[in-house]
Amino acid sequence: MLTRGDVRAPRDAFALRLADLVSQIYPDLDADILSSQIVEAFWPDERPRRKRARKPSNNFWSEKDALVITYGDTIVDGTHKPLDLLHDFLKENLHGTLNGVHILPFFPFTSDDGFAVSDYRAVNPILGDWPDINRIGADFKLMSDLVLNHVSSQGAWFNGYLQGHAPYDQFFFEASPDDDLTAVVRPRTHPLLRPSETSDGLKHVWCTFSHDQCDLDFRNPEVLLEFLRIMRLHIDNGVRILRLDAVAFLWKVVGTPCVHLPETHAIVRLMRLLCDFAMEPVILLTETNVPSAENLSYFGNRNEAHVVYNFPLPPLVLHAMLSGSARYLSRWQAAMPPAQMGCAYLNFSASHDGIGMRPAEGILPEDQKDTMIETIRRHGGEVSMRALGGGKESPYELNITFFDALKGTFEGEDDHHLERFLASQTIIMSLEGIPAFYIHALLATPNDHDRVEKTGMKRAINRHRWDYPRLKEALADPESNTARVLSMLKTRIALRAGQPAFHPNGTQFTLQLDDRLFGVWRQALDRDQSIFAIHNVSKEEIAIDPVSINLIDGDIWVDLISGDVIEPADEPLRFAPYQCRWISNRNGRVRARGK
């Protein structure tokens, strides 16, 4: 306790900012004491931290960055550790093309393919161990999941809660069946509360996603401190991108929607502050599968997530390719703000989850969504629902591999499957942001109906496990879809990596073209290279006047993909069905080749 005449040393900027955030989250607690506990959790044993925070910058990433998304056991052979097989596949097939890998939850779990974690400090022994993770992290930028909204109902934490053991007896969010929970935003249709018999009687535990995934109570600062220790464990094991899973649901207040609450944003800002002062370069990525404006809020004022998923892309790109019209995709893209300095979008079409429909709310008309759903079902897909008020339901996601989703259009199946799929992935490569590719998109994996039947999970349709010898056979067969698609995508990704105009923060404008074409103009940060990235999303041949895209006279323009020289006053610029063109001034092309 301070006495008269004592002088407390002035606090530095970090300490002041941390104490301010702590006061926002926990106004009834001593901010100084909790701040010191936070520092000890994230920097144990008085580890050093930066004297100054990293300033927001566009140097965190470049056009050379691209990631693959995969489970740790996507590749198996029944003999070797799956993480060793994954590492071998990455080195043999993707090294030098994609430089980052997101290994989905690799911890012991009980359900939801890893997202019901039972032990945050161990690697699932079925996959391998921490040294296997370390080896992958030594060769690729490594992303891991911080599954911080909920834990397994069968793990030590929840068992401790049921038995009344500290600290876990205060770790989980409880509510009463008599509470008015009608305003709660629900991503699932099951009952929200899970009756649980504890040493202190019957309790009702909040379960946003399933009754095996029990929500934690971040009103208890011990929960936050434990996750900061887990963050440190990840960082010490080579993780450089932390994905905050389902973070939007973190803080709950009965009587509210319980999503995107101010305390949730303050916790993200606190984590960002710690990362900004960490010696290691750590990037925060928020996973918020919600409508676009809500998703963008997690950039904050350049003080929350470094990167956010571009969630509207998958349903809008899928709609464009199925309908043959980029009208809604172009309209949405034209209204999208550029990411602030030090921030970036993560662009993707496919992931381990389904193709989310909530991000398309307010963008795609209901009749267009209905036609998409009908088409996906014809292509062998499923539809998952979410609960609305009054007992109603709404489509939450489409469950299908992105490759099989594009086997045809609204009009039916045709012979343009591969070209249509390649065009969809080229759009992902062309946009402002960092591209990420789900491993089953890279490998043109078809729907796995057997896995759906075996697991009872619709999402399993897009979570196939490849037998490594069979995968090698498919890759060795130049006529297989697996070999053809991987080869084409690798070629195009490598071409993209040499173009400064494709820097994740390079200037972007949406072109106003024929609805069957989706186009953006990209420009390098130093303005030395421009690329007109134009994609035919239809099965029709299209011709446009080169003057219509404002090619500058005096420059020599080349389609980087085909090698065609484009003359502004020459013949019409023609597009074959699903053809994509990256039309660049030649100076940019020559410089890229010389790197």
Side-chain angles (χ1 to χ4, degrees):
M1 178 180 296
L2 290 176
T3 60
R4 185 175 298 176
D6 288 339
V7 178
R8 178 173 291 180
R11 294 188 295 179
D12 59 19
F14 167 77
L16 289 169
R17 290 167 62 187
L18 180 58
D20 179 62
L21 286 168
V22 168
S23 296
Q24 294 177 42
I25 304 167
Y26 305 106
D28 297 329
L29 300 181
D30 187 302
D32 289 338
I33 293 176
L34 185 50
S35 293
S36 67
Q37 293 173 327
I38 287 171
V39 169
E40 174 59 26
F42 194 73
W43 288 289
D45 304 319
E46 298 184 349
R47 293 191 192 185
R49 61 174 172 85
R50 292 172 60 92
K51 293 182 179 179
R52 295 182 178 84
R54 286 185 182 83
K55 295 182 178 179
S57 166
N58 293 335
N59 296 325
F60 290 149
W61 36 71
S62 77
E63 62 275 9
K64 300 183 184 302
D65 288 311
L67 296 104
V68 57
I69 305 165
T70 180
Y71 278 101
D73 62 353
T74 294
I75 301 172
V76 295
D77 67 359
T79 302
H80 299 89
K81 291 183 291 187
L83 286 174
D84 281 346
L85 298 179
L86 175 62
H87 193 194
D88 184 75
F89 169 80
L90 294 173
K91 289 191 298 182
E92 291 297 318
N93 296 279
L94 299 180
H95 201 268
T97 303
L98 290 95
N99 63 352
V101 56
H102 173 200
I103 306 178
L104 291 153
F106 45 78
F107 317 103
F109 70 98
T110 55
S111 65
D112 199 16
D113 281 346
F115 286 91
V117 178
S118 57
D119 185 349
Y120 285 95
R121 297 187 175 277
V123 173
N124 187 345
I126 296 174
L127 302 179
D129 207 340
W130 281 114
D132 305 306
I133 295 292
N134 302 154
R135 282 190 289 272
I136 296 174
D139 290 334
F140 295 86
K141 292 180 182 178
L142 183 59
M143 183 195 302
S144 70
D145 289 273
L146 200 64
V147 185
L148 69 172
N149 178 70
H150 49 262
V151 302
S152 167
S153 69
Q154 303 170 58
W157 290 14
F158 196 70
N159 283 330
Y161 164 80
L162 294 177
Q163 297 169 29
H165 294 164
Y168 307 115
D169 58 337
Q170 303 295 319
F171 262 37
F172 293 88
F173 195 93
E174 301 169 353
S176 167
D178 297 328
D179 290 333
D180 182 2
L181 303 177
T182 56
V184 176
V185 173
R186 300 295 316 282
R188 299 290 186 272
T189 57
H190 69 274
L192 178 61
L193 301 182
R194 177 191 194 272
S196 301
E197 195 64 50
T198 76
S199 62
D200 193 32
L202 180 65
K203 305 291 183 181
H204 293 84
V205 178
W206 196 286
C207 296
T208 299
F209 291 94
S210 81
H211 281 189
D212 190 38
Q213 295 164 294
C214 300
D215 285 29
L216 292 156
D217 190 352
F218 275 83
R219 295 175 302 178
N220 177 1
E222 291 298 329
V223 175
L224 173 63
L225 291 172
E226 186 60 24
F227 274 101
L228 297 182
R229 297 182 190 106
I230 294 166
M231 284 177 65
R232 171 49 58 187
L233 176 67
H234 286 225
I235 294 167
D236 287 349
N237 277 283
V239 171
R240 293 297 177 261
I241 307 173
L242 284 166
R243 177 183 182 269
L244 305 184
D245 177 68
V247 67
F249 300 97
L250 204 64
W251 197 276
K252 288 94 172 165
V253 175
V254 171
T256 75
C258 298
V259 65
H260 315 311
L261 295 187
E263 293 86 351
T264 294
H265 283 281
I267 288 174
V268 176
R269 289 198 296 275
L270 186 149
M271 291 179 170
R272 171 64 180 268
L273 177 66
L274 298 179
C275 291
D276 283 348
F277 278 89
M279 300 298 290
E280 307 87 351
V282 180
I283 290 173
L284 287 184
L285 166 68
T286 48
E287 187 264 336
T288 50
N289 193 356
V290 293
S292 184
E294 300 170 31
N295 184 45
L296 294 178
S297 71
Y298 285 86
F299 278 142
N301 185 21
R302 302 191 302 176
N303 59 356
E304 294 191 32
H306 297 88
V307 182
V308 302
Y309 282 93
N310 208 344
F311 274 114
L313 263 184
L316 294 181
V317 169
L318 178 63
H319 175 269
M321 308 311 299
L322 292 178
S323 68
S325 170
R327 176 185 177 189
Y328 299 106
L329 175 62
S330 296
R331 182 183 298 174
W332 163 78
Q333 186 60 68
M336 275 289 285
Q340 305 169 71
M341 179 180 291
C343 301
Y345 296 109
L346 189 76
N347 296 326
F348 70 108
S349 64
S351 74
H352 63 290
D353 289 337
I355 300 163
M357 295 301 289
R358 283 212 69 205
E361 290 177 6
I363 303 172
L364 286 178
E366 290 302 315
D367 65 319
Q368 294 296 308
K369 288 192 280 188
D370 290 343
T371 307
M372 280 179 66
I373 290 171
E374 293 171 7
T375 304
I376 291 305
R377 284 179 167 146
R378 287 203 311 270
H379 294 174
E382 304 272 359
V383 180
S384 293
M385 309 298 286
R386 71 182 185 96
L388 300 176
K392 297 181 180 179
E393 295 182 352
S394 174
Y396 180 72
E397 65 181 20
L398 309 179
N399 302 113
I400 191 169
T401 70
F402 212 81
F403 184 71
D404 270 6
L406 294 180
K407 64 172 60 176
T409 67
F410 287 170
E411 298 175 0
E413 296 185 22
D414 55 32
D415 296 328
H416 296 295
H417 190 180
L418 262 62
E419 295 88 347
R420 184 162 44 243
F421 180 74
L422 181 59
S424 74
Q425 302 308 294
T426 305
I427 290 174
I428 302 304
M429 299 179 210
S430 302
L431 294 174
E432 174 197 346
I434 303 165
F437 304 90
Y438 188 38
I439 191 168
H440 291 307
L442 292 172
L443 298 176
T445 308
N447 294 328
D448 191 338
H449 295 287
D450 290 341
R451 189 163 170 78
V452 174
E453 184 175 352
K454 180 180 179 181
T455 64
M457 291 175 52
K458 292 180 179 180
R459 284 180 168 179
I461 198 170
N462 192 29
R463 298 176 180 178
H464 178 71
R465 287 179 181 163
W466 275 97
D467 175 70
Y468 202 15
R470 291 185 179 179
L471 176 57
K472 287 182 175 179
E473 289 179 7
L475 291 172
D477 178 3
E479 298 303 314
S480 73
N481 285 337
T482 298
R484 294 172 68 188
V485 166
L486 183 60
S487 175
M488 290 187 294
L489 289 177
K490 285 175 62 176
T491 298
R492 203 152 289 186
I493 293 168
L495 177 62
R496 176 192 180 278
Q499 314 309 322
F502 284 140
H503 185 284
N505 300 111
T507 301
Q508 175 174 290
F509 288 106
T510 305
L511 303 177
Q512 301 302 311
L513 302 167
D514 185 304
D515 278 349
R516 296 167 295 176
L517 296 173
F518 175 71
V520 292
W521 173 67
R522 302 296 311 280
Q523 188 179 58
L525 295 176
D526 63 7
R527 300 187 178 185
D528 197 39
Q529 184 192 30
S530 290
I531 294 178
F532 292 87
I534 306 175
H535 319 79
N536 185 356
V537 302
S538 78
K539 58 184 177 181
E540 301 171 12
E541 294 185 1
I542 303 172
I544 63 172
D545 187 342
V547 175
S548 66
I549 57 174
N550 298 318
L551 298 182
I552 299 173
D553 284 332
D555 280 356
I556 298 176
W557 295 89
V558 176
D559 177 4
L560 300 175
I561 295 175
S562 69
D564 295 341
V565 176
I566 310 297
E567 296 290 346
D570 205 353
E571 297 180 355
L573 183 57
R574 302 186 184 279
F575 290 81
Y578 303 107
Q579 182 177 1
C580 302
R581 291 184 182 271
W582 288 343
I583 302 170
S584 173
N585 53 325
R586 176 164 287 190
N587 284 340
R589 177 182 172 88
V590 170
R591 184 178 60 184
R593 282 184 167 180
K595 285 188 175 181

